């Protein structure tokens, strides 16, 4: 069995060698310390098997060979008994790209976390459950894993509407002067929505604001069994905040969890906020580009001129500039010289 060319016909353990070689190749292709070590242990076992003149028939036969450890012997036994190697089939059916996509589908998991878990040997969502492989999820990631399918599916717009119709009167019961509007894909008229985006603000002409409203609203929505889990809650009361969570239609058996975002903004910025959170994101990019070409800057607070940025750190503003338009979407379109577009037309 020492030459590759004639091993097919003469080696009594060729089926075993073939499977171990495939597994070795997979580990070799992964440049992690751990995989390099595994590839090496298969190389040793394969070399021994090639020079073995008799058929290996059991775990005992295998583990008796020099260079074959306990774990490799178990794999050899599986190949002898079933003709297959589950580990290999698994590795083949779950390549890195597939696993990366699977893991980043968990709310709160980014590329670096997904890669780290992959390198720890995790390949399936099952591998991430119950602290297997020593992998620990954050509380938010736990929620993301538990409701993986719900969070990764879109809801019919009628469901977003039903949920919003539960929420709006509760908000108005806290303060009937609130401005409560649904934005995002729903406002653009899409037939299905990935989440529900709700804007809350209040006309401050009477000297009052929506300060503290979101906190009270969230509590009431939890009590009404509309909100079910918090993913990111603002830690202080502010006029400009963002909340992310899960919700469902209350009192309906089997109602699925849905993603929901609440945004609050100042009364003055409501138009800019509506424009930004209605999207879509490509439309927003084209509007920002238009603003930049005119020497302006557009964000969720308004359209600004004379913004001075730090040349070596563009995200830092040395002067926040003066506001040109922010109260209505129409004003912003007008100043930019862009013909008015209804929300459903704002797709690029
Ligand atoms: N937005 C943006 N850039 C981002 C994220 C969001 O401009 N990186 C804006 C445009 C989006 C809006 O915020 O339309 C709402 O964000 P969503 O992620 O909720 O997106 P949509 O509501 O448009 O789509 P979906 O149905 O998937 O929620
Ligand atoms: Mg949305
Ligand atoms: Mn959203």
């Amino acid at each position: 069995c020492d030459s590759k060319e004639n091993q097919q016909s003469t080696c009594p353990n060729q089926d075993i060698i073939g499977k171990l070689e495939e597994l070795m190749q997979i580990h070799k292709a992964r440049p992690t310390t751990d995989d390099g070590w595994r590839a090496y242990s298969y190389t040793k076992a394969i070399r021994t098997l090639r020079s073995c003149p008799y058929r290996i028939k059991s775990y005992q036969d295998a583990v008796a060979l020099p260079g074959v450890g306990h774990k490799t012997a178990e794999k050899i036994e599986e190949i002898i008994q079933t003709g297959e190697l589950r580990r290999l089939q698994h590795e083949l059916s779950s390549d890195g790209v597939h696993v990366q996509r699977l893991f980043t589908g968990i709310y709160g998991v980014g590329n670096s976390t997904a890669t780290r878990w992959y390198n720890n040997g995790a390949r399936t969502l099952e591998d991430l459950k119950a602290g297997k492989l020593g992998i620990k999820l954050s509380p938010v990631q736990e929620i993301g894993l538990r409701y993986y399918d719900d969070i990764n599916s879109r809801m019919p717009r009628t469901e977003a509407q039903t949920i919003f119709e539960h929420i709006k009167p509760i908000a108005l019961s806290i303060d009937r002067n609130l401005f409560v509007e649904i934005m995002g894909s729903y406002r653009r008229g899409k037939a299905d929505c990935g989440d529900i985006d709700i804007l809350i603000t209040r006309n401050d002409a009477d000297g009052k604001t929506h300060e503290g409203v979101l906190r009270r609203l969230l509590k009431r929505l939890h009590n009404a069994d509309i909100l079910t889990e918090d993913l990111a809650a603002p830690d202080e009361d502010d006029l400009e905040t963002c909340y992310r969570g899960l919700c469902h239609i209350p009192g309906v058996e089997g109602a699925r969890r849905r993603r929901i975002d609440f945004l609050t903004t100042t009364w003055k910025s409501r138009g800019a906020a509506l424009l930004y959170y209605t999207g879509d994101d490509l439309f927003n990019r084209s509007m920002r580009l238009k603003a930049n070409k005119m020497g302006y800057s557009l964000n969720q607070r308004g359209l600004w001129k004379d913004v001075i940025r730090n040349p070596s750190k563009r995200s830092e503003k040395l002067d926040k500039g003066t506001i040109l338009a922010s109260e209505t979407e129409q004003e912003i379109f007008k100043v930019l010289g862009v013909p008015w577009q209804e929300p459903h037309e704002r797709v690029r």
Side-chain angles (χ1 to χ4, degrees):
C1 291
D2 47 10
S3 100
K4 266 212 161 187
E5 288 71 45
N6 64 12
Q7 66 192 22
Q8 234 79 14
S9 51
T10 58
C11 181
N13 296 305
Q14 186 49 42
D15 54 336
I16 302 171
I17 292 169
K19 292 265 185 279
L20 292 183
E21 272 182 332
E22 276 189 75
L23 203 50
M24 179 187 69
Q25 293 306 335
I26 287 169
H27 287 297
K28 266 192 182 164
R30 282 193 208 127
T32 69
T33 343
D34 188 39
D35 278 323
W37 184 82
R38 281 194 216 174
Y40 175 65
S41 73
Y42 292 129
T43 312
K44 276 195 303 181
I46 290 163
R47 199 179 300 145
T48 310
L49 280 167
R50 281 225 180 90
S51 59
C52 175
Y54 53 89
R55 171 71 179 167
I56 300 296
K57 293 200 181 79
S58 66
Y59 171 87
Q60 272 72 24
D61 286 355
V63 84
L65 294 172
V68 176
H70 159 71
K71 282 192 170 170
T72 308
E74 276 185 346
K75 291 193 177 67
I76 293 174
E77 186 184 40
E78 188 187 333
I79 298 166
I80 297 164
Q81 287 178 354
T82 68
E84 288 298 338
L85 191 53
R86 276 166 308 168
R87 179 83 211 176
L88 178 61
Q89 291 185 326
H90 192 74
E91 297 283 0
L92 290 175
S93 66
S94 57
D95 66 292
V97 178
H98 169 88
V99 176
Q100 191 81 3
R101 199 172 301 140
L102 182 74
F103 289 174
T104 52
I106 300 170
Y107 188 91
V109 175
N111 277 319
S112 67
T113 303
T115 303
R116 193 170 69 243
W117 291 348
Y118 184 92
N119 289 340
N120 286 349
R123 295 292 178 274
T124 65
L125 296 182
E126 206 57 43
D127 289 342
L128 301 174
K129 287 178 185 157
K132 284 184 199 166
L133 298 163
I135 291 170
K136 181 130 176 54
L137 278 70
S138 72
V140 163
Q141 291 165 345
E142 289 281 359
I143 296 168
L145 182 58
R146 190 170 328 131
Y147 299 108
Y148 190 90
D149 293 335
D150 280 2
I151 292 175
N152 285 293
S153 51
R154 303 177 66 82
M155 74 191 99
R157 85 177 266 110
T158 51
E159 189 173 341
Q161 185 181 348
T162 302
I163 293 172
F164 184 62
E165 281 167 0
H166 274 89
I167 293 173
K168 192 171 177 179
I170 297 178
L172 293 178
S173 76
I174 295 172
D175 181 342
R176 67 186 179 86
N177 292 313
L178 290 177
F179 175 94
V180 183
E181 200 53 73
I182 184 165
M183 310 176 290
S185 49
Y186 184 92
R187 185 160 178 253
R188 296 198 311 276
K190 279 207 69 172
D192 50 72
C193 306
D195 69 352
I196 304 171
D197 302 288
I198 298 174
L199 179 69
I200 295 179
T201 184
R202 185 193 192 279
N203 189 334
D204 55 8
D206 62 0
K208 292 182 187 143
T209 69
H210 55 281
E211 192 182 335
V213 161
L214 184 61
R215 187 182 294 267
R216 292 170 66 196
L217 177 61
L218 295 175
K219 196 176 237 174
R220 290 204 195 184
L221 294 178
H222 271 294
N223 289 339
D225 191 33
I226 295 168
L227 279 182
T228 52
E229 283 83 18
D230 300 326
L231 296 169
D235 41 26
E236 56 185 289
D237 265 333
D238 194 329
L239 295 180
E240 292 178 13
T241 55
C242 169
Y243 165 90
R244 299 180 194 286
L246 299 182
C247 64
H248 65 186
I249 302 175
V252 174
E253 181 95 22
R256 302 185 75 169
R257 294 289 201 284
R258 301 302 187 188
R259 279 272 301 109
I260 186 162
D261 291 337
F262 283 100
L263 291 310
T264 67
T265 191
T266 60
W267 180 246
K268 194 173 168 57
S269 286
R270 69 193 180 283
L274 266 177
L275 183 65
Y276 180 87
Y277 294 108
T278 297
D280 66 9
D281 49 0
L282 291 180
F283 168 81
N284 285 355
R285 199 176 303 168
S286 73
M287 290 290 269
R288 277 198 298 271
L289 206 64
K290 185 82 180 35
N292 294 343
K293 277 188 185 146
M294 299 170 80
Y296 302 154
S297 172
L298 179 64
N299 63 20
Q300 63 269 47
R301 293 195 183 90
L303 179 64
W304 306 77
K305 72 165 187 172
D306 301 333
V307 174
I308 301 174
R309 293 173 189 277
N310 182 343
S312 53
K313 190 172 172 250
R314 299 278 304 159
S315 62
E316 188 191 323
K317 286 179 194 153
L318 301 175
D319 189 329
K320 75 182 181 71
T322 51
I323 205 153
L324 293 172
S326 67
E327 298 209 24
T328 66
E329 294 179 317
Q330 282 81 354
E331 282 174 71
I332 297 171
F333 274 87
K334 208 169 157 194
V335 178
L336 288 176
V338 176
W340 172 253
Q341 283 164 272
E342 293 294 336
H344 72 267
E345 297 173 303
R346 298 179 199 169
V347 274
R348 283 287 166 279

